[in-house]
Amino acid sequence: MHIKKKKLTFLLFLIGLICISSSFYFLTKKRAPEAVITSGNMPDVGKNVKQMTAEELEKFLQEKADKNYINLEVNPNIYGQSKNKEVTLQIVNPKQNVFPISVEILDDSTNKTIAKTGAIQPTQYVENEQLLSTYEAGEYPVTFIVSIYNVMKEKKGETQIAGMLIIT
């Protein structure tokens, strides 16, 4: 009788241990949400759908990235002749840009505007500009203020470039 009692106790202990361990397992197991896929939710692949090549994907991603950056091509030296208001400069809004720009040029000694471009769209450039006043021969420090606009013609940013007006 004593052996039956020990076997019964051991059996109850083993059943309890199994119950505790299985409860612990099911309580701590992370359940993944069940995916519900039913027929008819997604249409068949369209007949005009094409797979992007690696090059096309790279170009697409680069175009997306370029929309967040602006590239400027500005020669910081402006050249002109004494008592002539027309000067030669080089301002390019490269094709990588998606934003139009405009440039205002300030004389650093007076902080006055000496020239101003209109809107320069991507792929456009300016080679010549008219000064608002004449200058004698010499070198004059200037600052290019480049304004960046969005497609709604709202000013979105500004940067400055130091330059030199060289009059001969």
Side-chain angles (χ1 to χ4, degrees):
M1 176 106 150
H2 185 55
I3 294 178
K4 282 186 177 182
K5 197 174 188 186
K6 281 186 177 183
K7 284 184 179 181
L8 184 60
T9 306
F10 179 74
L11 186 61
L12 288 174
F13 174 77
L14 192 58
I15 291 173
L17 187 59
I18 291 172
C19 287
I20 291 172
S21 61
S22 61
S23 297
F24 179 78
Y25 172 77
F26 286 112
L27 290 175
T28 59
K29 179 182 169 188
K30 292 183 180 176
R31 294 185 183 180
E34 293 181 26
V36 178
I37 300 174
T38 59
S39 176
N41 281 350
M42 188 169 117
D44 292 335
V45 175
K47 62 182 175 185
N48 296 326
V49 175
K50 296 178 183 172
Q51 181 69 36
M52 280 185 164
T53 65
E55 292 83 19
E56 290 172 329
L57 180 59
E58 183 178 339
K59 182 180 176 186
F60 172 76
L61 293 174
Q62 186 61 50
E63 287 172 357
K64 287 276 201 190
D66 287 343
K67 289 182 180 181
N68 295 317
Y69 293 95
I70 186 97
N71 296 302
L72 295 174
E73 293 180 24
V74 177
N75 183 344
N77 295 319
I78 304 169
Y79 298 96
Q81 305 260 329
S82 175
K83 300 190 181 179
N84 185 352
K85 290 186 177 184
E86 185 169 280
V87 292
T88 302
L89 49 82
Q90 297 166 338
I91 301 171
V92 178
N93 191 355
K95 69 178 182 175
Q96 299 93 328
N97 292 343
V98 294
F99 304 109
I101 63 172
S102 70
V103 180
E104 180 179 4
I105 304 167
L106 301 178
D107 182 329
D108 288 352
S109 62
T110 62
N111 207 29
K112 289 187 179 179
T113 301
I114 63 169
K116 201 179 222 183
T117 71
I120 306 169
Q121 298 293 332
T123 71
Q124 294 181 337
Y125 63 95
V126 175
E127 286 184 326
N128 299 307
E129 195 59 62
Q130 294 289 322
L131 295 177
L132 298 176
S133 58
T134 58
Y135 281 82
E136 296 297 323
E139 293 185 359
Y140 304 89
V142 296
T143 301
F144 294 80
I145 299 177
V146 181
S147 299
I148 303 154
Y149 299 88
N150 67 10
V151 292
M152 307 298 275
K153 299 182 181 178
E154 299 168 325
K155 188 174 180 178
K156 295 313 266 180
E158 182 178 281
T159 189
Q160 296 183 7
I161 301 168
M164 189 67 68
L165 171 62
I166 301 166
I167 303 293
T168 55

